[in-house]
Amino acid sequence: MVTSAHTDDSEDELFNLLRFTTTCLALGIPKEKVAGDFRHSLEDFRQRGVLPLEELAQLRATTDGGAKEHPAQWAEGFAAGYLAAWAAATLRVLDTRGVSFGQDKHLFRPLNLCTDADLLTRFLDRAVTATHAADLVAGEPSLREPDGS
């Protein structure tokens, strides 16, 4: 549950980012540099739970140059690609560390179909220290197959 203090802090952080970004642009810092810093900060907010993925995608759709004609479709594609990339990164970390994940449908499929960016972030964090594939999903009932397996 989000408390009002957390919400106020989040709004302050987002406002401070906006103020910082506009100040940098006003000072003549190249817009490419400012845009990169802005995107990095938005991603940090997303990883810390300050900014939901859907809002991150909408912000990116309205601030990235290529999304002006169809921002809703761009945001949807961005979110889908984002989730796929986090799932792939998790598998890559496990593979690089030699943790057998294989094509076990009870773990592989739900990971690749996961639509919760915060959950995928937890998985990626766990992949760094997991010694078995089961360590990745321990305590996460949302990954069980619909039939309960």
Side-chain angles (χ1 to χ4, degrees):
M1 183 172 160
V2 176
T3 64
S4 62
H6 178 70
T7 302
D8 291 344
D9 290 344
S10 301
E11 290 173 3
D12 287 345
E13 284 189 82
L14 290 169
F15 179 74
N16 286 338
L17 174 61
L18 177 61
R19 185 172 38 196
F20 177 75
T21 301
T22 54
T23 300
C24 288
L25 290 169
L27 290 171
I29 296 173
K31 66 180 180 178
E32 296 80 16
K33 169 79 171 114
V34 175
D37 290 345
F38 180 75
R39 289 184 198 117
H40 176 76
S41 295
L42 289 177
E43 175 57 26
D44 178 59
F45 290 162
R46 209 286 313 146
Q47 289 183 32
R48 291 188 294 123
V50 172
L51 187 66
L53 176 58
E54 295 76 19
E55 290 181 28
L56 170 66
Q58 289 172 355
L59 282 168
R60 292 286 306 265
T62 57
T63 59
D64 283 4
K68 291 191 190 278
E69 289 191 29
H70 303 285
Q73 292 87 344
W74 190 96
E76 186 177 315
F78 176 86
Y82 186 98
L83 294 169
W86 279 82
T90 300
L91 293 170
R92 176 72 178 157
V93 168
L94 290 170
D95 184 56
T96 300
R97 294 190 56 246
V99 177
S100 177
F101 196 81
Q103 298 293 323
D104 180 357
K105 71 174 186 167
H106 297 294
L107 296 175
F108 185 81
R109 185 182 324 134
L111 178 67
N112 282 293
L113 296 176
C114 183
T115 58
D116 182 340
D118 294 332
L119 183 60
L120 286 170
T121 300
R122 289 195 303 274
F123 290 159
L124 185 56
D125 290 345
R126 290 177 189 165
V128 174
T129 59
T131 56
H132 298 84
D135 297 340
L136 185 71
V137 296
E140 299 291 351
S142 62
L143 280 190
R144 294 202 176 128
E145 294 289 322
D147 64 1
S149 59

